[in-house]
Amino acid sequence: MNHVITIDGPTGSGKSTVSRLLAKRLQSPYLDTGAMYRVVALALKQAGIGLHDKAAISKICNELDIRFVPEGDATGVYLGRDDVTETIREPDIDLLASDVSALEGVRSAMTRIQRKIGSQGPLVAEGRDMGTVVFPEAQYKFYIDASLETRIDRRFQERQQRGESISREKIREDLIKRDHQDMHRSIAPLKPAKDATIIDTTELSLDQVVEKILREIEKD
Ligand code: DC
């Protein structure tokens, strides 16, 4: 699967925007694996299933009808027939998705689906474990990071643009908690792959980051 480009990194690093722009420039499909964990979290919430009910969680994951539908420059996310694009971005799903993503059964089911998609052709795959676990043999791996304050700012602006009233302090608290969980879980924790190129986006525009990645790819 060396036609897969992996982009990993923490919340607010800019990796989603960078991945989307990069996929567009390369005319390649884009896979937002965070959205997959968010859909699982939403499905469990809607079904009233707790995190300890392993059998019910397995069933939900194995029957998960998740679809990504290109809608202009954006991508719609569907759970069955429901458009859940907005719902999966709600603040309670942020943390629940992180909780859910630490579960072995959920990770193995998502990894299976992600590899299947990766086997079908070129892909820009974005997440936390793309370069380390899901596509370890990918030829191009990037780890996108930024300073904590920059990441908090980006999150804050995103939330404000969506019309949510949330304090910067709450954003800080949630972001630190979620990153800690994502980096310290026992399975597939967030970390750069040994062979990943690390890009700090604190002082760069996201367009500059895309150019940097394209230069790296075009070098070969
Ligand atoms: O990228 P995001 O914020 O939409 O991801 C939501 C959660 O999903 C995140 O807190 C950790 C988890 N996740 C993961 O564990 N592995 C991935 N490849 C992508 C996301």
Side-chain angles (χ1 to χ4, degrees), residues 51-210:
L51 295 183
H52 296 295
D53 192 345
K54 300 262 181 318
I57 293 174
S58 254
K59 190 163 185 296
I60 288 267
C61 287
N62 292 329
E63 291 171 358
L64 198 69
D65 179 14
I66 175 173
R67 277 177 305 126
F68 292 102
V69 180
E71 291 166 359
D73 273 353
T75 305
V77 184
Y78 287 76
L79 173 57
R81 274 189 293 175
D82 298 335
D83 181 349
V84 297
T85 317
E86 298 295 326
T87 324
I88 59 166
R89 303 286 158 198
E90 283 174 8
D92 63 329
I93 299 292
D94 281 354
L95 267 182
L96 190 56
S98 175
D99 292 341
V100 155
S101 73
L103 304 175
E104 208 279 323
V106 175
R107 293 214 77 83
S108 57
M110 294 307 109
T111 297
R112 208 166 38 243
I113 300 173
Q114 291 155 11
R115 286 190 178 144
K116 184 162 176 224
I117 296 171
S119 71
Q120 289 162 359
L123 187 69
V124 174
E126 177 222 322
R128 303 289 192 292
D129 62 339
M130 296 296 101
T132 50
V133 174
V134 181
F135 302 113
E137 67 282 34
Q139 190 180 356
Y140 298 107
K141 300 181 183 180
F142 298 91
Y143 186 89
I144 311 286
D145 209 344
S147 72
L148 178 62
E149 292 310 316
T150 303
R151 297 193 294 115
I152 292 169
D153 278 346
R154 287 179 184 158
R155 260 290 131 128
F156 186 52
Q157 277 166 22
E158 216 177 283
R159 285 280 150 88
Q160 281 193 317
Q161 273 161 14
R162 257 191 265 148
E164 287 172 27
S165 69
I166 186 163
S167 74
R168 207 173 178 284
E169 265 328 289
K170 176 78 176 122
I171 300 253
R172 171 190 294 276
E173 207 179 286
D174 289 353
L175 189 142
I176 290 174
K177 178 164 185 215
R178 196 144 75 93
D179 279 353
H180 188 271
Q181 281 192 181
D182 294 343
M183 288 172 173
H184 294 90
R185 64 181 175 224
S186 57
I187 321 162
L190 169 64
K191 63 176 179 193
K194 286 198 178 67
D195 50 349
T197 302
I198 298 177
I199 302 177
D200 187 328
T201 69
T202 308
E203 305 288 340
L204 296 174
S205 74
L206 298 181
D207 280 320
Q208 286 174 313
V209 180
V210 174

Side-chain angles (χ1 to χ4, degrees), residues 16-17 19-25 28 30 69-76 85:
S16 295
T17 308
S19 304
R20 224 170 300 137
L21 291 172
L22 180 68
K24 195 170 173 203
R25 288 285 292 273
S28 161
Y30 155 63
V69 180
E71 291 166 359
D73 273 353
T75 305
T85 317

